Amino acid sequence: RRVLFRSDVNYKIWLRGAVLKTHYRKQVTPPGGTARTSTATPWLYDFATTYEPISGLTFFATTVRGLEESGTAPNNAANRNEVLPAVIATQYEAGLRYRIGGGVTFIGSLLEISKPTPGIDTLNVYGLIGQARHRGIELSLTGKPAPGVNVVGGLALGWAVGAALHILWGAPGGRPSLE
């Protein structure tokens, strides 16, 4: 861990960042068919920071932009076996780590992940039809409170934002609307 800034009262801030140019290629050849290919060359990143106002308490925040495969159109779609483009997924997370004492540490965080989502539109074409957004809470307690005793516990709760909404497409080339 590298401390980039330290004041006279011992405040600590740490920063990290990375940028990556990636080259992605997927090729699918269905039985008896011709090869179908999808390529992408996006810029991806990972940035994080921590802040330790007092010994034993650390706040953190991070954001990551990654590439995910989005699949191939199923056989029941008008565009069966079409390779969908890879999608960009973005995650944000913020939380804290607190050393309670006696070798026990509590970690809690909030997170959000968003990415395009595939599905079949009203023309029976399988493609990227909307944006999925998932939020969650993660809590954990770990440590060694006594000799020979290890404590490991965690809880993760997550939910999809707008999961009950239906995406409807109007005329070809139209914009999606939420019902």
Side-chain angles (χ1 to χ4, degrees):
R1 184 165 112 162
R2 205 168 103 193
V3 177
L4 300 177
F5 171 81
R6 188 178 300 209
S7 73
D8 293 336
V9 289
N10 204 21
Y11 288 90
K12 298 175 193 171
I13 296 176
W14 176 80
L15 302 169
R16 182 196 73 217
V19 176
L20 169 72
K21 177 74 168 182
T22 188
H23 299 276
Y24 170 87
R25 182 175 186 264
K26 178 181 178 179
Q27 182 172 328
V28 173
T29 305
T34 59
R36 297 176 186 218
T37 304
S38 176
T39 60
T41 56
W43 285 97
L44 306 176
Y45 59 79
D46 176 8
F47 298 108
T49 186
T50 64
Y51 170 60
E52 188 177 355
I54 60 173
S55 179
L57 176 63
T58 303
F59 295 98
F60 61 87
T62 184
T63 182
V64 178
R65 181 179 187 209
L67 191 65
E68 289 187 10
E69 183 175 313
S70 59
T72 303
N75 286 333
N76 63 332
N79 60 333
R80 74 172 163 235
N81 298 319
E82 181 179 321
V83 177
L84 269 59
V87 298
I88 299 292
T90 305
Q91 178 174 333
Y92 302 98
E93 185 170 6
L96 64 89
R97 180 181 66 214
Y98 181 62
R99 287 191 304 256
I100 296 169
V104 178
T105 300
F106 169 79
I107 300 173
S109 67
L110 302 172
L111 62 97
E112 178 175 295
I113 302 170
S114 62
K115 62 183 175 182
T117 185
I120 295 180
D121 67 16
T122 58
L123 299 174
N124 199 35
V125 175
Y126 188 79
L128 301 176
I129 62 168
Q131 189 77 8
R133 192 170 65 199
H134 303 274
R135 291 184 177 160
I137 299 170
E138 295 178 343
L139 305 171
S140 69
L141 190 65
T142 61
K144 196 171 193 173
V149 177
N150 289 317
V151 175
V152 178
L155 173 67
L157 300 172
W159 58 94
V161 178
L165 299 176
H166 300 285
I167 297 176
L168 300 176
W169 288 83
R175 298 180 61 93
S177 62
L178 298 177
E179 180 180 60

